[in-house]
Tab-separated table of all heavy atoms in Angstrom:
chain	number	residue	atom	x	y	z
N	1	GLU	N	103.795	138.022	70.164
N	1	GLU	CA	103.295	136.792	69.542
N	1	GLU	C	103.912	135.558	70.194
N	1	GLU	O	103.235	134.559	70.435
N	1	GLU	CB	103.600	136.782	68.032
N	1	GLU	CG	102.845	137.823	67.239
N	1	GLU	CD	103.456	139.228	67.369
N	1	GLU	OE1	104.676	139.354	67.594
N	1	GLU	OE2	102.683	140.199	67.290
N	2	THR	N	105.191	135.620	70.495
N	2	THR	CA	105.867	134.496	71.150
N	2	THR	C	105.384	134.341	72.581
N	2	THR	O	105.188	133.222	73.060
N	2	THR	CB	107.401	134.707	71.140
N	2	THR	OG1	107.849	134.791	69.781
N	2	THR	CG2	108.123	133.573	71.827
N	3	ALA	N	105.157	135.442	73.272
N	3	ALA	CA	104.733	135.396	74.679
N	3	ALA	C	103.393	134.684	74.848
N	3	ALA	O	103.115	134.123	75.906
N	3	ALA	CB	104.666	136.805	75.252
N	4	LYS	N	102.564	134.682	73.801
N	4	LYS	CA	101.258	134.013	73.878
N	4	LYS	C	101.386	132.500	74.079
N	4	LYS	O	100.452	131.856	74.530
N	4	LYS	CB	100.447	134.295	72.615
N	4	LYS	CG	100.010	135.731	72.483
N	4	LYS	CD	99.277	135.953	71.180
N	4	LYS	CE	98.977	137.425	70.970
N	4	LYS	NZ	98.361	137.679	69.663
N	5	PHE	N	102.530	131.924	73.724
N	5	PHE	CA	102.731	130.478	73.840
N	5	PHE	C	103.147	130.043	75.244
N	5	PHE	O	103.133	128.858	75.558
N	5	PHE	CB	103.803	130.004	72.842
N	5	PHE	CG	103.353	130.055	71.420
N	5	PHE	CD1	103.790	131.065	70.584
N	5	PHE	CD2	102.488	129.095	70.924
N	5	PHE	CE1	103.379	131.115	69.257
N	5	PHE	CE2	102.063	129.141	69.604
N	5	PHE	CZ	102.511	130.156	68.766
N	6	ILE	N	103.541	130.982	76.097
N	6	ILE	CA	104.064	130.636	77.424
N	6	ILE	C	102.916	130.229	78.351
N	6	ILE	O	101.929	130.942	78.470
N	6	ILE	CB	104.840	131.816	78.035
N	6	ILE	CG1	105.994	132.224	77.128
N	6	ILE	CG2	105.334	131.463	79.434
N	6	ILE	CD1	106.674	133.520	77.529
N	7	LYS	N	103.094	129.070	78.993
N	7	LYS	CA	102.126	128.587	79.979
N	7	LYS	C	102.885	127.984	81.150
N	7	LYS	O	103.883	127.292	80.963
N	7	LYS	CB	101.206	127.538	79.374
N	7	LYS	CG	100.260	128.075	78.316
N	7	LYS	CD	99.329	126.995	77.830
N	7	LYS	CE	98.297	127.501	76.872
N	7	LYS	NZ	98.714	128.182	75.726
N	8	VAL	N	102.416	128.269	82.373
N	8	VAL	CA	103.028	127.725	83.583
N	8	VAL	C	101.911	127.244	84.501
N	8	VAL	O	100.924	127.944	84.693
N	8	VAL	CB	103.894	128.785	84.313
N	8	VAL	CG1	104.504	128.201	85.572
N	8	VAL	CG2	104.971	129.335	83.397
N	9	SER	N	102.084	126.037	85.050
N	9	SER	CA	101.073	125.495	85.959
N	9	SER	C	101.739	124.682	87.062
N	9	SER	O	102.878	124.238	86.916
N	9	SER	CB	100.078	124.618	85.198
N	9	SER	OG	100.742	123.505	84.631
N	10	LEU	N	101.017	124.495	88.158
N	10	LEU	CA	101.439	123.580	89.213
N	10	LEU	C	100.637	122.306	89.011
N	10	LEU	O	99.405	122.336	89.007
N	10	LEU	CB	101.166	124.159	90.601
N	10	LEU	CG	101.489	123.220	91.764
N	10	LEU	CD1	102.993	122.944	91.844
N	10	LEU	CD2	100.985	123.788	93.072
N	11	ASP	N	101.337	121.205	88.826
N	11	ASP	CA	100.713	119.916	88.556
N	11	ASP	C	101.126	118.914	89.627
N	11	ASP	O	102.113	119.123	90.336
N	11	ASP	CB	101.147	119.388	87.187
N	11	ASP	CG	100.938	120.400	86.064
N	11	ASP	OD1	100.074	121.282	86.212
N	11	ASP	OD2	101.648	120.310	85.059
N	12	THR	N	100.390	117.828	89.703
N	12	THR	CA	100.741	116.764	90.644
N	12	THR	C	100.374	115.414	90.051
N	12	THR	O	99.545	115.317	89.138
N	12	THR	CB	100.042	116.954	92.007
N	12	THR	OG1	100.560	116.007	92.934
N	12	THR	CG2	98.543	116.774	91.900
N	13	ALA	N	100.998	114.383	90.600
N	13	ALA	CA	100.690	112.996	90.252
N	13	ALA	C	101.151	112.139	91.420
N	13	ALA	O	101.995	112.554	92.219
N	13	ALA	CB	101.391	112.585	88.969
N	14	GLU	N	100.595	110.954	91.531
N	14	GLU	CA	101.014	110.024	92.583
N	14	GLU	C	102.228	109.235	92.102
N	14	GLU	O	102.257	108.752	90.977
N	14	GLU	CB	99.884	109.059	92.942
N	14	GLU	CG	98.822	109.655	93.811
N	14	GLU	CD	99.339	110.047	95.189
N	14	GLU	OE1	100.087	109.281	95.820
N	14	GLU	OE2	99.003	111.152	95.633
N	15	ARG	N	103.202	109.109	92.985
N	15	ARG	CA	104.422	108.360	92.666
N	15	ARG	C	104.099	106.875	92.551
N	15	ARG	O	103.362	106.315	93.344
N	15	ARG	CB	105.461	108.578	93.756
N	15	ARG	CG	106.830	108.001	93.420
N	15	ARG	CD	107.851	108.321	94.500
N	15	ARG	NE	108.024	109.733	94.731
N	15	ARG	CZ	108.803	110.535	94.004
N	15	ARG	NH1	109.462	110.058	92.987
N	15	ARG	NH2	108.923	111.805	94.310
N	16	ASN	N	104.672	106.233	91.554
N	16	ASN	CA	104.509	104.796	91.344
N	16	ASN	C	105.494	104.064	92.247
N	16	ASN	O	106.683	104.004	91.965
N	16	ASN	CB	104.761	104.455	89.872
N	16	ASN	CG	104.556	103.001	89.562
N	16	ASN	OD1	104.278	102.196	90.453
N	16	ASN	ND2	104.696	102.644	88.303
N	17	LEU	N	105.028	103.521	93.352
N	17	LEU	CA	105.887	102.826	94.304
N	17	LEU	C	106.046	101.349	93.979
N	17	LEU	O	106.930	100.686	94.504
N	17	LEU	CB	105.332	102.974	95.727
N	17	LEU	CG	105.239	104.402	96.253
N	17	LEU	CD1	104.550	104.436	97.607
N	17	LEU	CD2	106.620	105.025	96.342
N	18	SER	N	105.191	100.812	93.092
N	18	SER	CA	105.226	99.382	92.790
N	18	SER	C	106.386	99.014	91.878
N	18	SER	O	106.822	97.876	91.866
N	18	SER	CB	103.915	98.948	92.130
N	18	SER	OG	103.836	99.459	90.806
N	19	GLY	N	106.876	99.972	91.092
N	19	GLY	CA	107.948	99.667	90.151
N	19	GLY	C	107.435	99.012	88.887
N	19	GLY	O	108.189	98.732	87.969
N	20	LYS	N	106.135	98.745	88.810
N	20	LYS	CA	105.546	98.123	87.624
N	20	LYS	C	105.123	99.199	86.650
N	20	LYS	O	104.708	100.280	87.024
N	20	LYS	CB	104.333	97.281	88.017
N	20	LYS	CG	104.682	96.127	88.918
N	20	LYS	CD	103.448	95.374	89.326
N	20	LYS	CE	103.841	94.272	90.303
N	20	LYS	NZ	102.673	93.612	90.868
N	21	GLY	N	105.218	98.883	85.375
N	21	GLY	CA	104.777	99.825	84.348
N	21	GLY	C	105.883	100.725	83.852
N	21	GLY	O	105.720	101.408	82.861
N	22	GLY	N	107.020	100.766	84.540
N	22	GLY	CA	108.168	101.525	84.072
N	22	GLY	C	108.036	103.035	84.148
N	22	GLY	O	108.847	103.744	83.590
N	23	THR	N	106.998	103.552	84.814
N	23	THR	CA	106.863	105.001	84.916
N	23	THR	C	107.081	105.443	86.354
N	23	THR	O	106.965	104.655	87.284
N	23	THR	CB	105.457	105.479	84.461
N	23	THR	OG1	104.492	104.935	85.356
N	23	THR	CG2	105.160	105.062	83.044
N	24	ARG	N	107.387	106.712	86.518
N	24	ARG	CA	107.573	107.276	87.855
N	24	ARG	C	106.264	107.598	88.531
N	24	ARG	O	106.210	107.737	89.726
N	24	ARG	CB	108.284	108.619	87.767
N	24	ARG	CG	109.470	108.813	87.711
N	24	ARG	CD	110.143	110.158	87.575
N	24	ARG	NE	109.372	111.352	87.422
N	24	ARG	CZ	109.480	112.389	88.198
N	24	ARG	NH1	110.296	112.390	89.197
N	24	ARG	NH2	108.788	113.461	87.981
N	25	THR	N	105.213	107.788	87.724
N	25	THR	CA	103.916	108.152	88.279
N	25	THR	C	102.873	107.099	87.934
N	25	THR	O	103.025	106.343	86.982
N	25	THR	CB	103.448	109.518	87.736
N	25	THR	OG1	103.339	109.450	86.318
N	25	THR	CG2	104.418	110.617	88.119
N	26	ILE	N	101.811	107.074	88.707
N	26	ILE	CA	100.703	106.157	88.452
N	26	ILE	C	99.852	106.760	87.334
N	26	ILE	O	99.449	107.924	87.427
N	26	ILE	CB	99.854	105.950	89.722
N	26	ILE	CG1	100.720	105.333	90.818
N	26	ILE	CG2	98.626	105.107	89.425
N	26	ILE	CD1	100.044	105.260	92.169
């Protein structure tokens, strides 16, 4: 029952190079 909750994925996002918005990603 616990094993049903496990999920693994490869994700991506673009890095926020502007420094605006306070986040690491766009």
Side-chain angles (χ1 to χ4, degrees):
E1 293 78 28
T2 300
K4 292 177 187 175
F5 290 104
I6 302 170
K7 292 184 175 55
V8 179
S9 63
L10 176 66
D11 308 335
T12 188
E14 283 295 316
R15 188 176 302 277
N16 182 357
L17 299 174
S18 71
K20 297 177 183 173
T23 64
R24 275 178 356 125
T25 60
I26 299 172

